[in-house]
Amino acid sequence: MKGTVGELGEFGLIEKLTSRLTTTPAVRIGPGDDAAVVSAPDRRVVASTDILLEGRHFRRDWSTAYDVGRKAAAQNLADIAAMGAVPTALLLGLVVPAELPATWATELMDGIRDECQVAGAAVVGGDVVRGEAITLAITALGDLRGHEPVTRGGARPGDVVAYTGWLGWSAAGHAVLSRGFRSPRAFVEAHRRPEPPYHAGPAAAGLGATAMCDVSDGLVADLGHIAEASKARIDLRSSLIDIPTQMHDIGQAVGVDPLQWVLTGGEDHAIVATFPPDAKLPARWKVIGEVLHPSALPQVTVDGAPWTSTGGWDHFGGDIEDGGGAAGQ
């Protein structure tokens, strides 16, 4: 393999990237034509798109190209699952400088491919362009398989709030990395390579979920979208939230209350949903609150009071508090 993507050229790079891909039965026509063809038995397609920019969403001194690929695919595929759909396909727009080592680009594609395989999807096409900063633009597609989508707007007073997956792990890993450390490894890896519970989205729909989203910008922030769309108040109970001992240890070492990471840390891509109070939830779902009638404006409260600590992520406002939201790097 030639040393840089510039030496490979556009079509040489595309050939190297697409040669590493796998397919699925849903892909009728994959990379190599003017457009891909993906089967949609449901006759509805769930679609989501996202952008990752070097220095904003990932750092090459913190993460390998393979890590970046896994993370980029995961955060997009999680959006599909959070609608109650099954991921089917992913499209990649890639901007890279000419001097970028070609192996970095191919390892990135390996990461994207492998994360797609975890979710049951496949990369079906995309484009590459020369540019100054590495940028990934990803579009993910999914299939509802005959079910109705679970939106943010269906939560009703009396519903319980439950999640499955990890909360605060990526933010704790971000705090560790930002202070120059590489351990505890489990939390660092959670930041580099999140593990969304893809199966849980469609399963939640089958369990009767009334509203759902993935936790990308922080639990309070993302539940805030559900509260606003549903015109309800969501109250979380801190006593119901399990915080691992090791996360407590990290918090003590860096001077951060780990509850802050759990409530405002993003990029774990856990699935959080509201369910009718009589729903029979499997053990992997942890009930942490309830939906109430709004007292004034729709909002999220913690133990009955507004959450006043800053945190979470806003792409134009930035990382509101150091260590609070992991999405910044």
Side-chain angles (χ1 to χ4, degrees):
M1 185 183 297
K2 294 182 180 179
T4 68
V5 297
E7 290 170 331
L8 277 177
E10 177 184 356
F11 298 110
L13 177 60
I14 291 173
E15 190 280 327
K16 289 295 183 184
L17 296 181
T18 57
S19 69
R20 313 178 82 83
L21 298 178
T22 57
T23 190
T24 69
V27 180
R28 302 295 180 85
I29 300 176
D33 218 308
D34 288 323
V37 177
V38 181
S39 63
D42 183 81
R43 301 184 70 180
R44 296 171 296 176
V45 176
V46 180
S48 178
T49 192
D50 210 348
I51 295 174
L52 289 86
L53 178 66
E54 182 181 10
R56 173 67 61 175
H57 303 101
F58 65 89
R59 287 172 46 167
R60 278 190 275 170
D61 59 331
W62 283 7
S63 302
T64 67
Y66 184 81
D67 290 335
V68 174
R70 293 291 295 262
K71 182 176 185 176
Q75 68 183 50
N76 285 271
L77 296 167
D79 284 335
I80 301 300
M83 294 296 291
V86 175
T88 56
L90 186 146
L91 296 141
L92 168 67
L94 180 62
V95 180
V96 291
E99 64 273 13
L100 182 76
T103 53
W104 197 95
T106 56
E107 288 169 10
L108 171 80
M109 184 59 82
D110 287 348
I112 293 174
R113 176 202 64 211
D114 288 355
E115 191 63 33
C116 281
Q117 288 181 329
V118 171
V123 180
V124 297
D127 193 18
V128 295
V129 178
R130 176 177 175 173
E132 296 302 316
I134 299 175
T135 305
L136 289 76
I138 290 182
T139 297
L141 307 177
D143 181 19
L144 286 164
R145 295 188 174 180
H147 301 290
E148 289 303 309
V150 183
T151 68
R152 297 172 174 178
R156 300 184 295 265
D159 286 352
V160 298
V161 179
Y163 81 95
T164 185
W166 310 102
L167 289 176
W169 285 59
S170 180
H174 178 274
V176 169
L177 286 165
S178 66
R179 286 159 175 81
F181 299 102
R182 296 295 184 269
S183 63
R185 186 172 181 83
F187 294 89
V188 171
E189 290 303 308
H191 176 69
R192 289 172 171 162
R193 198 184 298 179
E195 298 181 6
Y198 300 115
H199 64 282
L207 292 167
T210 54
M212 182 161 56
C213 67
D214 75 313
V215 183
S216 56
D217 297 324
L219 181 64
V220 171
D222 288 314
L223 280 175
H225 298 316
I226 290 180
E228 182 175 0
S230 301
K231 296 180 173 55
R233 178 163 75 92
I234 293 175
D235 186 52
L236 301 176
R237 298 299 176 89
S238 60
S239 62
L240 298 178
I241 298 174
D242 294 328
I243 299 177
T245 300
Q246 217 170 12
M247 190 183 291
H248 277 290
D249 294 340
I250 298 171
Q252 185 173 15
V254 301
V256 175
D257 181 352
L259 183 63
Q260 175 81 7
W261 291 328
V262 170
L263 294 178
T264 66
E267 290 197 325
D268 287 298
H269 301 288
I271 300 293
V272 64
T274 59
F275 296 91
D278 57 352
K280 305 299 183 184
L281 301 181
R284 65 174 174 266
W285 286 92
K286 176 69 174 176
V287 174
I288 56 172
E290 61 181 330
V291 180
L292 305 171
H293 290 284
S295 54
L297 296 175
Q299 62 177 321
V300 177
T301 55
V302 180
D303 298 327
W307 180 252
T308 56
S309 297
T310 56
W313 177 254
D314 181 312
H315 286 282
F316 292 94
D319 196 354
I320 300 172
E321 179 168 309
D322 183 28
Q329 300 291 353

